[in-house]
Amino acid sequence: MKGRLIKTHFSKRKCALALTTLFTLGTVSEATLAAAAQEQPQYSASEKAVAIARETIIVDGHIDVPYRVKNQWVDVTKATEDGDFDYPRAVEGGLNAPFMSIYVPASLDNSPESTQLAHLLIDSVEAIVARAPDKFAIARSPSDVKSHFEKGVISLPLGMENGSPIQGNLDNLNDFYERGIRYITLAHSQSNHISDSSYDLRRQWKGLSPFGKQLVTEMNNIGIMLDISHVSDDAFYQVVELTKVPVIASHSSLRRFTPGFERNMNDDMIKKLGENGGVIMINFGSSFVSKEAGQWRTGLTNARKALIKEEGEDSPKLENFEAQYRKEVPYPYSTLDEVLDHIDHVVELIGVEHVGIGSDYDGVGDSLPIGLKDVASFPNLVQGLLDRDYSREDIEKILSGNLLRVWQEVEDYAKSH
């Protein structure tokens, strides 16, 4: 039966988390805590899972390679020592269509610098392709993805995270379409000129701005997918009311498992997404997957504030505060099984046709789940789906079929308008 839960490793992690809590209260020794930390689930993929991963197009809705390369240049056409993505690991994992995130920080909103940075990040993806045209190619359509797959080349479609670079100018929208942008995440961590953000309590537009409502229609007409990750709940409902085509959540998970975390989607939103024909692409970051990881982050923030209050902003202890905190209170990594729980729940609510993968690799730091630590891990995901009795046909829908369907529908609508 689909949706069958696998409890064994999940329970071990819960026990370890409980011990961590007791440690902070001074009731469990550090030795006991260290022993519990070693009780982590181990994942391995069968030959069948590896074969499915290699033989199927795998689309990942969101990987932050461009901004990673901006911060510290590295040649991802070769093996790299850090990060979550490079060519050898992508080949090992069977990943062949990762959307490159053209991420523009909210701090640049309402400035020409946001548009400039977006173009520079697109340049960086084009540079990756130019260095290794035998390995990578820009994908501008679902047919490109399929053609590249047949040739053994990894597609690099482009998605813009934060619509700030549009700057209220539809000429910019056209320019970015011509450069290959095929989805736009309307906002990021703050409200912008398009939409309110799930993280921004001001809610200045109470959803979409007047320009944002116009932009929905223009994106439909030009053939750019609407990405509702990061937007407020009101903005989400307004988008699905206005759009003529399905939308995506390129890297979001489920609020059912992370109560109070508005960045994820609740059950009613998931149902509306299903009615729209859209796809939610599950984010792998631990704080998106389990409430415990979010609670840990809150604990870190509170501990930092307490130190500042006690010793001031100049305290030398602040320099490596998070690293020291992690030693004393180990981070409660989520697991592959918990990621699968999110997939199961979407399937139970609206069907297997509406879920995909949006890992957020290279975008969530050291918070990736046990069993899904980098792009080489996709066979583990396939194995988990097999273990939960998903058919190969349904696995292929989750890995790419659903997103490619939406992309094709968006493209077809634009051609007819």
Side-chain angles (χ1 to χ4, degrees), residues 85 87 90-91 95-98 135-138 148 152-156:
F85 175 95
Y87 179 75
V91 171
L95 175 63
N96 34 50
K135 298 176 180 177
F136 295 107
I138 302 291
H148 297 159
V153 175
I154 293 177
S155 293
L156 298 180

Side-chain angles (χ1 to χ4, degrees), residues 228-239:
I228 54 78
S229 288
H230 280 287
V231 304
S232 68
D233 289 8
D234 286 342
F236 163 78
Y237 287 113
Q238 290 169 22
V239 168

